[in-house]
Amino acid sequence: MAETLRLESWVTAREALRHRDLRQGLYDEGRALMDGVIVNLHGAPHTDRRRLENRLFRRDTFAYWERELIPVLLEESLAIHREDTSEIDIVPVVRHAMLRLAASVAGLDIGSDTSDFLRLAGLMARLSAASTVVHATGDKAAIIADGLAALDEVRAVYLAPAWDRREALIRDVRAGHRPESDLPRDVLTVLLAAREEHGLPSEVIEREVAYFPWVGSHSTSIALVHALHHCFEHDAEKPGVLHTLVDEPELLQRFVHESLRLHPASPQSVRRAVTDGQLPTGDRFAAGDTVVIDMVAANRDKTVFGDDADRFDPSRTIAEGVAPWGLTFGSGFHACLGQELAGGLPPGQSEGDRLLGAITVMISTLLERGARRSSTRPPVPDDRTTRPTWRTYHVVFEDRFDEQGKTR
Ligand code: HEM
């Protein structure tokens, strides 16, 4: 009978994430939406897909986005969500800023129509809930059915026109009517151009393109709100910290990395054994067994992060060979493709421009605008999922917003 092996230590967690005989197991319940999607592939098909898509995730592109694009997307999102009140729920603000970016990485052409964009955001929330249904607290069959209905709508409204446009461009390039540089740099274009050679069915391309907007925006916004919370808590203990963080982005990035360590996007990773095997640490598994990796416990392993590993301490010394965010971006062959986009690089690892990551850049922009935690509308945890996240998190803009809520 299949057994479940539970791993809590840093070293076993990392080895399991990197083990070739353990396939992805987190999306088995949500397979109707995740079948054939990169994070759910194993072995050669995964390596093949990763090679195709890796070329889109370039450091020079991330550096450009950090400088030029992300602050603008955040401002635009703030403008959409500014209510009559001066208190703004920051959760949808940052989610939607990242969604614009991630949708363009995916290859969905989003125009300037706000209601059109908000419709996409609603669909992505339903897709995300259905794909990660393993963590849902509600009626799972209903959540999956709703996700499939959302995918139908994404296909009809957003994917079909983007698909047709790209196929026409690819035809033109192949016929020599256009230069290759006319092709958009996105997942949809890459997959359409490779579909015959790599045998990619249309349904797989659809699911893959639908995956990127929500995975890129949801994990990042959840992580951002956790980190912002730590900034506010720290400032409550040591008033003035928020100003220092605006002046010192490297310090802010340390806050972000420490927060990422304490709050991995998924509290557990799940793998299934494809054959009998063993971890280098000696733990054995048999074909069909489930391996549950406790990411929270691994990231708080005292033998790696010290006796106070549960505590938020951005000045903690990190051992060599260990990322300051722990295993929050995964490790090995499924390691997050968006890691540098979301988290940047630790000091000393960037060549050329220093990569701070979207989370640091957005928090810096918010604090610079005078964002402070609302004293009248406290943050509300999300009870619709066992993933620890904030459902709402209201902030006020103390210094920089006038009475109409416009930036001064
Ligand atoms: C704070 C933000 C983020 C966190 C914490 C995060 C976390 C993760 C983790 C843990 C994995 C590995 C899953 C596993 O091993 O089972 C992963 C994979 C992935 N992430 Fe992220 N992610 C973030 C942001 C992003 C962004 C911004 C993008 C893209 C726009 C992205 C795209 C991906 C993709 C495509 C994979 C699958 C890689 C593969 O299977 O080869 N992520 N992410």
Side-chain angles (χ1 to χ4, degrees):
M1 209 182 78
E3 307 263 338
T4 297
L5 178 64
R6 292 182 188 280
L7 305 174
E8 295 191 345
S9 77
W10 162 268
V11 67
T12 53
R14 194 179 55 177
E15 294 305 340
L17 289 172
R18 306 173 79 90
H19 204 294
R20 291 274 164 194
D21 294 335
L22 297 175
R23 70 159 175 87
Q24 179 63 257
L26 197 63
Y27 302 100
D28 286 7
E29 287 185 56
R31 73 172 66 79
L33 291 136
M34 295 298 285
D35 206 19
V37 170
I38 183 169
V39 74
N40 214 9
L41 292 174
H42 191 69
H46 174 262
T47 312
D48 192 43
R49 184 76 57 78
R50 183 118 180 162
R51 273 204 197 111
L52 280 176
E53 292 176 4
N54 229 348
R55 66 185 78 159
L56 298 169
F57 291 80
R58 294 171 41 156
R59 284 185 186 167
D60 55 346
T61 313
F62 294 160
Y64 170 75
W65 287 347
E66 271 192 31
R67 260 192 336 266
E68 309 292 337
L69 187 60
I70 291 170
V72 176
L73 293 177
L74 185 65
E75 292 291 354
E76 286 175 2
S77 193
L78 270 173
I80 293 176
H81 290 279
R82 215 164 43 214
E83 302 161 32
D84 296 338
T85 161
S86 58
E87 290 169 308
I88 299 178
D89 180 8
I90 210 67
V91 174
V93 170
V94 292
R95 176 159 300 174
H96 293 169
M98 267 318 276
L99 181 58
R100 278 211 183 263
L101 185 59
S104 93
V105 173
L108 300 181
D109 303 319
I110 310 297
S112 52
D113 182 345
T114 301
S115 60
D116 202 33
F117 172 69
L118 292 177
R119 180 178 177 190
L120 177 69
L123 293 169
M124 284 302 148
R126 291 162 60 196
L127 281 182
S128 163
S131 305
T132 56
V133 69
V134 63
H135 292 139
T137 50
D139 176 349
K140 294 193 178 192
I143 293 170
I144 293 171
D146 188 55
L148 287 170
L151 182 59
D152 285 343
E153 205 172 322
V154 169
R155 185 187 301 115
V157 179
Y158 301 94
L159 202 51
W163 188 296
D164 291 347
R165 185 168 91 79
R166 282 160 182 74
E167 277 199 326
L169 286 169
I170 293 168
R171 263 197 312 273
D172 281 0
V173 169
R174 287 188 176 154
H177 301 320
R178 286 173 178 277
E180 202 165 343
S181 55
D182 273 8
L183 293 179
R185 291 180 49 81
D186 55 45
V187 175
L188 180 54
T189 307
V190 163
L191 297 185
L192 286 176
R195 65 185 304 193
E196 285 93 21
E197 196 187 330
H198 293 254
L200 293 169
S202 296
E203 313 81 69
V204 167
I205 299 181
E206 285 167 8
R207 286 193 288 267
E208 182 86 343
V209 174
Y211 164 70
F212 270 81
W214 69 258
V215 79
S217 57
H218 286 227
S219 312
T220 311
S221 55
I222 288 165
L224 187 150
V225 180
H226 280 305
L228 187 64
H229 178 71
H230 280 295
C231 295
F232 289 149
E233 291 284 290
H234 221 68
D235 191 65
E237 281 169 31
K238 288 189 191 162
V241 163
L242 297 181
H243 290 288
T244 313
L245 292 176
V246 173
D247 293 339
E248 296 178 26
E250 277 81 10
L251 178 64
L252 176 55
Q253 193 196 32
R254 281 291 307 124
F255 272 57
V256 169
H257 289 169
E258 177 70 344
S259 173
L260 281 164
R261 180 182 72 80
L262 290 174
H263 310 284
S266 174
Q268 291 180 338
S269 286
V270 179
R271 297 292 194 255
R272 306 244 190 255
V274 291
T275 179
D276 295 359
Q278 181 174 3
L279 296 177
T281 42
D283 300 85
R284 293 181 169 280
F285 50 80
D289 280 357
T290 299
V291 177
V292 174
I293 305 160
D294 187 329
M295 303 290 274
V296 177
N299 273 357
R300 296 173 183 222
D301 187 329
K302 291 186 170 47
T303 62
V304 176
F305 294 100
D307 285 342
D308 65 346
D310 285 330
R311 215 165 60 82
F312 177 80
D313 175 11
S315 62
R316 153 184 327 280
T317 308
I318 303 289
E320 220 181 300
V322 175
W325 49 79
L327 294 171
T328 289
F329 289 110
S331 187
F333 43 97
H334 279 301
C336 179
L337 274 175
Q339 172 186 311
E340 292 174 11
L341 168 58
L345 283 166
Q349 289 189 22
S350 308
E351 286 164 23
D353 292 320
R354 170 88 158 87
L355 271 186
L356 290 166
I359 300 175
T360 300
V361 169
M362 286 199 274
I363 295 184
S364 184
T365 308
L366 290 169
L367 295 181
E368 214 262 322
R369 298 265 171 282
R372 301 291 180 265
R373 184 163 47 193
S374 162
S375 53
T376 52
R377 299 177 80 173
V380 180
D382 199 337
D383 59 5
R384 295 165 297 182
T385 168
T386 54
R387 294 182 170 215
T389 64
W390 297 105
R391 185 166 188 157
T392 61
Y393 203 111
H394 283 85
V395 301
V396 291
F397 288 87
E398 279 185 351
D399 308 321
R400 315 284 172 124
F401 272 53
D402 65 18
E403 279 167 8
Q404 279 78 46
K406 294 197 179 97
T407 34
R408 279 180 187 150

